[in-house]
Amino acid sequence: MELVVHIIRDTCSYLFLNLDAEVAAKNKGWNVLGFNDIHWMHAIPVPGPTGNMSAQMMPAVKVTEIIDPVDIWQPKPGVFVVDFGQNLAGFCRLKVKGIAGTKVTLRHAEVLMHPPYGPRNGSLYFGNLRSAMATDIFTLSGDEEGEELQPHFTYHGYRYVEVSGFPGMLTSADIQMLHFHTNVSSNSNANSPTSSSLVVDAIQANVVRGQRSNLMSVPTDCPQRDERLGWMGDSGLSSDSMAVNFDMHAFYLNFLRNIVDEQNADGSIPDVVPFYRYGGRPADPSWSAAFPQIVWVLFHYYGDLLTAIKYYSNIKLYLDNLHSQIPKQGLSHMPGSYGDWVPAKGAKVSSSLTSSFSYMLNVQQFRAIAEILANEDDVTSLTHLIDSLKQQFHQSFWKGDHYDNGCQTSAALPLYLKITPEAERRNLTLRLLNDIASDGPALITTGIIGVKFLMLWLSDIGRTDIALQLAEQVVYPSWGRMIFNNVEPATAIWELWNSDSSGPGMNSRNHHMFSSVSGWIRTELLGIKPSNGYMFGYGSEVVDLYIARTLGLSRANVRYDVPQGLVTLTWQRSGGVQCAKVPENKSPLNLNLPQHTGLLLDCGADGGVISKIDFADFGLPFGYCGSFGVEDKCTSANATDIVSKLCLGKQNCTVMSGVDFWGDPCPGMEQKHLFVQVSCSKAISISAEVSVSVGVTANVYLYLYGLRMPQLKESGQQIWPRKSSNSVPGIHSVVYMLNNDTLKVSVGSGVYRFVLLGEDGLHVCTNSTQSAVSRLQCSPGHAITFIRFASYGSPVGDCGSYHRGNCHAGASQLVVEELCLGRSECSVPATDDVFLHKCASGQGSLFIEAVCSDASSIV
């Protein structure tokens, strides 16, 4: 037999360092069953790992995508840069033919070089990789037929690859990215969200890429630098969003076993699991909170009660350990190493506050589990503990009119858990809304803990419109700016709000710790979530479906896999008020961005034609649908006239959103965008298709927005107001809720096609100056059911076209709703004390546009 010796020798193959694969000679078929390896050296016996060996509980790591380059260029002779268009985890497969001994080097990076790191010259930036070499070196064998090479025992997080030493001209046929991760299945359309918001869909797509890239048998923090560890803070905060994006059941079962393996006899858990390096023990309570949090997620989203039973004593031991960490000085000195990690602006809230919050959240989750399991003694003791901790929290952190340092996180966390006593809760709510959305664009100042619960709290109190404003923001700090900035548009989620300008020390461009927003998008905004108090797969499976929860969205399509099957929701709102926002339309560096040709305005097939332009601006407009404003330093003159010429009298139209069309209203300023609000000639109508799997009950919430004489039909049959006593199959009940002008339709399993019709409500307006009283009054038989516009500050415009000025109380809408909704008439004082906001000029005005309808009178 002719023996051709060919050995691949990995001289350095390690997760964080480079791989140097020397291909010296080759016996073809060495990696195929049946190869004669008689001349190979025998393996050297070494001691095996200790512990109990068990079968892998989760799916294997698998290549799920093979991606071709989108561009290749040469920043200098002999060096090629390959762009794969997406920042993902994996490595490259290289096809090459060259002389034996030739070394081809691949260096991987997330971003191109740019200021402040260096000149923008087409080369790669490696600074944020720290000590990870992210380099693959191949020494060619000289095979005349060419070689196909890929590394082993390593992976990289990257979008770009620098290739040097390649013989000849590198083309897209020579190199591919192999993207791999733990092969969890995607949850229905999590990969391809469909809504009317370009920014929301782009955020969701980036989150899914980032989360997948960090599912490497454990939920790692990042795939590129010298870390890639199971940081508990990241995994706990992302667990809800991961549970609705993927089938995480088996993955989390495995990770929970890893956590319990690391739990000490005293109940303590480390910051990182497996506890390899970095972090400490006991963990920051907001990091170790991942343990009961993930058990809760399996319970809440997958109906898994067995895991809660299995780890019940472990969680109890863990919570006892946390309680033992409270010092004599109380919760104000609760230990915490990291707290509200990487806040956007201002001073960080005290770690003692976030530690106390996380402890209390875990106790509440454990109490719910104990109640389901009928452990009455534990329910009683945990209830008393929760009440005691709420009192201690308020006493420890309350400073007269705010908690701790007064930042957004300091208010959002206790408001979310309803810790704040009733006497102080309303004013704290107003102050937080004012902090978020006053006097210009709504902005986030929180870190990774605060932002998750801030978004959920806003939807809890009916301010999904403000939460959407935060999500769609494209100026700093925001998820949208990560994607739509002009420096390095992201294809995953950054570790920092300002990664494009921060130093290299801790600055991953593929981190999932800010990905909790995806859970809010899928459940609160697009509209499918487990109903409060119910868990999928356990006894009473109830899902809440939200249709047209905010005017900021005109359509959505979301599907969700539950243990019993599939729940789907598709809806479209036509007519009435229609709004659209898009960032500046330019040729993005980010080739993976959803491409758009401009801003689409559409009254819908049943909504008539565009009859009026309520608001239009290109520059730096701000606000949410129904409450827009302009930034005087960056606004386009005659925008309303321009949009009117393009759109009036049409069902739909497209408006370009770039400086080529509009001119540049503010050269040198950050990402500009186009906002437009129009009125359609017909009243709002909503069409929706709902599919509910067997064994599931759904509460469908339809928002009426002040419709007069509303009618709800299912498959052509009117179900509200009920015309007869005949029951409709599958429809359990229809209830009108006056407090938020909403119909609640309870249905069983089946497919339902709803259509909501009606007439425009009667609009009433009022405006008043400082210290005067604004009065609203409806005609007999009508009540105020919708506040279309409310602004205390410096609003401008005429009734039907009001918009915000540069002074605005972010709590305006909530204050007016509290005083007016459900009433035939109301009075609202235009004072700083009522709105807890003061204009710099010292003079505030109050403009209100309300809608009166007869919905409450026809229940």
Side-chain angles (χ1 to χ4, degrees), residues 612-629:
K612 183 183 178 184
I613 310 302
D614 301 326
F615 179 89
D617 188 46
F618 175 76
L620 294 177
F622 50 80
Y624 53 86
C625 187
S627 186
F628 286 140

Side-chain angles (χ1 to χ4, degrees), residues 306-348:
L306 293 178
T307 298
I309 295 171
K310 179 178 180 179
Y311 294 122
Y312 190 91
S313 60
N314 296 89
I315 296 175
K316 193 172 185 179
L317 182 63
Y318 163 71
L319 293 176
D320 288 344
N321 178 268
L322 275 189
H323 196 78
S324 72
Q325 294 181 43
I326 302 174
K328 293 180 180 179
Q329 300 94 321
L331 293 179
S332 61
H333 289 72
M334 184 84 169
S337 306
Y338 310 110
D340 194 29
W341 196 240
V342 293
K345 292 183 175 182
K348 185 168 70 171

Side-chain angles (χ1 to χ4, degrees), residues 533-567:
Y534 294 92
M535 296 78 200
F536 288 147
Y538 185 74
S540 300
E541 296 79 28
V542 182
V543 60
D544 289 338
L545 308 179
Y546 296 98
I547 297 175
R549 198 173 190 181
T550 168
L551 287 174
L553 282 190
S554 61
R555 58 179 170 81
N557 178 0
V558 61
R559 302 187 297 277
Y560 185 61
D561 292 304
V562 300
Q564 295 81 3
L566 184 66
V567 176

Side-chain angles (χ1 to χ4, degrees), residues 525 546-551 553 571 573 686 701-703 705:
L525 181 65
Y546 296 98
I547 297 175
R549 198 173 190 181
T550 168
L551 287 174
L553 282 190
W571 60 264
R573 177 177 50 80
I686 296 173
Y701 297 89
L702 294 101
Y703 292 75
Y705 295 104

